[in-house]
Amino acid sequence: MEIKSFINVIKKPHPHILVESRKKIHGWWPGRRECTAERLLLNPYNGCSFNCLFCYANALGWGHFKRFREQNIVTVCRDFDQVTAKTLDRLPAASCGYLSPVSDPFQPVNQKYRLSEKLIQVFVERNLPIEIITKGVIPRDVLRTMSRQRHSFAQVSILTPHEVLRKKLVRGRGAATTTELFDNLKRIKQQGLFAVLRIDPIIPFVTDNPDDLKNILTRAARLSVDHVVASVLDIPLNIRADSLRRLRSLNPEPPVPFEELFGEKIGYSLQARLDYRLRIFEFLSKESKRLGFSFALCMEFEKVNRVVEVPTANGKIKKVREVGLNARFMRGCLNCEGQDIPVYVKNRDGFRFKPAFNCAGNCLNCATAACGFPGLAMGRSVSGRKDFSIRDYLALFKGKQSNNNT
């Protein structure tokens, strides 16, 4: 919750406002989840001037994201690094930081405020790993700082090998060119970091050409990239009309009408038909194996012909079961982001953390709680939802969910 904002809009490098924040670190969103490992999600910027054509942030119709959607104004949480530092210092255990799941950490406003660099420093100083994901140019000092921290890694999102098409998909200023995106991957490996290529999302009948996908994978293989993550575009229900209009602007005559292709509702989104998605994933899985990558999907589900009873506040409702596709396609890795990052527990000095012994970090599927905190096992939380929050981490400290063996 933001406690104070300045109404003055700063015009450069992109229209933005500054706020002082009580923003909290949080875990994965509630509801469906395939993310095997816990993460501390960090969003120093609300809104992103890269202006990707199918940015999922456009579906966030509240708070600062609503302002961005309606007025193209980015909100900068200028003290978020300090808030994060104070939060981490209270925690008995922590997972890898994730910078950032919604707005690009290296968009132009970051060049002015460097909140992403400050957040990375906060984690590294405390011996905590952090990951980045970007369509921008990664600053060299970022990679040098991250290389000092075991288990830190970087993900680069590449939608297409064609620069002309990339500009149509990533419409704002400041995003990396296709050449710069591949250079990101090269520099990540040169710093000794684990490198992840994300082909995410694949846009049906726009970026799904097999030769283009193979081109991206082959170029990544030459750079010794470690892991590939993929997904197919889904359409949030509340921006359905805009999304379909944009798809038609890119391909007015698709082999299958977009309204027909996106005919399956899963959660709050429309998904491409299962047979289409399976063909894409089978192709990528096969090519990844041939080129030596481990491979996983991101938040891809199917409905199965089984109805389950789901408890609610008003009793139980019947719901068609949704099953993640990673059980079928994840290969060469235990965790969907490609490497095993243990939960970190607070050291005796009360400041720095250390990796939990014999922990693979796959909390969602872990029944043994090698980290020493049974409350993390199987993705449980105080609320009963699979979205571990700061409240849940603090509950570990109070002994509500842990055996306190740190």
Side-chain angles (χ1 to χ4, degrees):
M1 177 184 296
E2 310 304 336
I3 59 174
K4 183 179 179 182
S5 66
F6 298 90
I7 60 173
N8 292 334
V9 177
I10 303 167
K11 294 183 178 180
K12 293 183 179 180
H14 180 90
H16 64 279
I17 63 170
L18 297 174
V19 299
E20 296 175 358
S21 172
R22 286 181 181 169
K23 176 191 280 285
K24 296 180 180 178
I25 301 172
H26 57 85
W28 301 119
W29 279 265
R32 293 176 298 116
R33 168 180 166 184
E34 270 219 291
C35 312
T36 53
E38 300 297 339
R39 289 289 183 265
L40 297 177
L41 306 188
L42 309 166
N43 283 299
Y45 308 112
N46 288 181
C48 179
S49 59
F50 285 175
N51 196 20
C52 296
L53 192 66
F54 297 101
C55 179
Y56 297 127
N58 289 325
L60 304 179
W62 58 85
H64 297 308
F65 283 106
K66 181 179 180 181
R67 180 189 294 114
F68 173 73
R69 180 179 175 183
E70 295 178 351
Q71 303 178 49
N72 194 30
I73 296 173
V74 173
T75 298
V76 177
C77 302
R78 63 176 181 178
D79 59 341
F80 187 42
D81 59 314
Q82 301 168 42
V83 172
T84 298
K86 291 177 182 178
T87 300
L88 292 177
D89 290 343
R90 296 170 60 202
L91 300 184
S95 47
C96 180
Y98 189 127
L99 183 66
S100 60
V102 178
S103 302
D104 200 287
F106 303 117
Q107 59 180 294
V109 291
N110 186 67
Q111 297 172 14
K112 183 171 185 175
Y113 298 101
R114 295 178 64 85
L115 279 172
S116 294
E117 287 88 335
K118 292 175 183 178
L119 284 163
I120 291 168
Q121 189 65 35
V122 163
F123 272 73
V124 171
E125 285 176 348
R126 288 158 178 78
N127 195 40
L128 279 173
I130 188 166
E131 65 170 289
I132 57 174
I133 179 169
T134 187
K135 292 186 182 76
V137 175
I138 305 174
R140 293 189 180 278
D141 59 338
V142 163
L143 295 177
R144 283 195 294 266
T145 301
M146 290 178 64
S147 69
R148 292 162 35 203
Q149 173 58 50
R150 182 185 178 192
H151 294 127
S152 289
F153 69 104
Q155 305 188 66
V156 178
S157 179
I158 301 180
L159 303 177
T160 173
H162 304 297
E163 179 63 12
V164 172
L165 179 56
R166 185 203 66 80
K167 288 181 178 179
K168 293 180 181 179
L169 300 174
V170 185
R171 300 167 297 172
R173 294 182 178 180
T177 66
T178 304
T179 298
E180 289 170 331
L181 290 170
F182 282 104
D183 186 61
N184 276 343
L185 292 170
K186 178 181 178 181
R187 293 186 295 112
I188 292 165
K189 291 300 298 181
Q190 287 175 339
Q191 284 292 336
L193 293 165
F194 190 87
V196 178
L197 163 68
R198 295 188 74 102
I199 311 179
D200 172 36
I202 296 164
I203 303 171
F205 311 136
V206 177
T207 65
D208 62 352
N209 182 287
D211 289 338
D212 289 344
L213 296 174
K214 187 182 292 187
N215 181 312
I216 295 172
L217 291 170
T218 301
R219 291 175 69 176
R222 294 186 189 127
L223 300 172
S224 301
V225 166
D226 300 286
H227 181 66
V228 173
V229 175
S231 75
V232 168
L233 177 77
D234 62 85
I235 298 177
L237 291 171
N238 61 338
I239 56 172
R240 176 182 182 274
D242 285 346
S243 296
L244 290 173
R245 175 179 53 79
R246 289 168 179 168
L247 282 169
R248 287 191 292 267
S249 73
L250 291 168
N251 187 349
E253 298 182 358
V256 177
F258 288 116
E259 290 84 353
E260 179 182 336
L261 180 70
F262 287 93
E264 186 169 32
K265 178 180 175 296
I266 298 182
Y268 297 102
S269 297
L270 296 173
Q271 302 282 343
R273 282 187 339 208
L274 181 63
D275 60 334
Y276 169 86
R277 288 186 288 142
L278 292 180
R279 285 197 302 271
I280 293 287
F281 300 148
E282 286 165 359
F283 172 79
L284 289 173
S285 178
K286 180 179 177 181
E287 284 300 306
S288 294
K289 182 178 181 179
R290 181 179 69 85
L291 292 167
F293 301 120
S294 53
F295 179 78
L297 304 177
C298 182
M299 296 295 288
E300 289 287 348
F301 297 86
E302 66 174 319
K303 291 182 177 179
V304 298
N305 294 323
R306 183 154 68 91
V307 176
V308 295
E309 288 190 337
V310 180
T312 68
N314 300 316
K316 294 182 177 180
I317 61 172
K318 290 186 176 181
K319 184 178 179 181
V320 176
R321 189 180 177 206
E322 298 164 359
V323 176
L325 291 174
N326 253 337
R328 190 184 314 186
F329 286 101
M330 190 161 70
R331 183 191 51 76
C333 54
L334 184 63
N335 286 286
C336 50
E337 289 176 313
Q339 66 168 335
D340 301 339
I341 302 179
V343 173
Y344 273 60
V345 295
K346 186 66 67 67
N347 211 338
R348 290 184 178 181
D349 64 9
F351 178 73
R352 289 168 60 84
F353 291 76
K354 61 182 179 182
F357 178 72
N358 203 31
C359 171
N362 58 329
C363 302
L364 188 64
N365 302 318
C366 172
T368 61
C371 63
F373 294 100
L376 282 169
M378 308 303 290
R380 289 187 293 266
S381 69
V382 170
S383 62
R385 304 182 307 181
K386 294 182 178 180
D387 59 323
F388 228 76
S389 68
I390 292 303
R391 181 164 65 104
D392 296 303
Y393 284 100
L394 291 173
L396 298 178
F397 181 72
K398 295 174 183 177
K400 293 179 181 178
Q401 294 192 36
S402 77
N403 62 13
N404 251 346
N405 73 342
T406 58

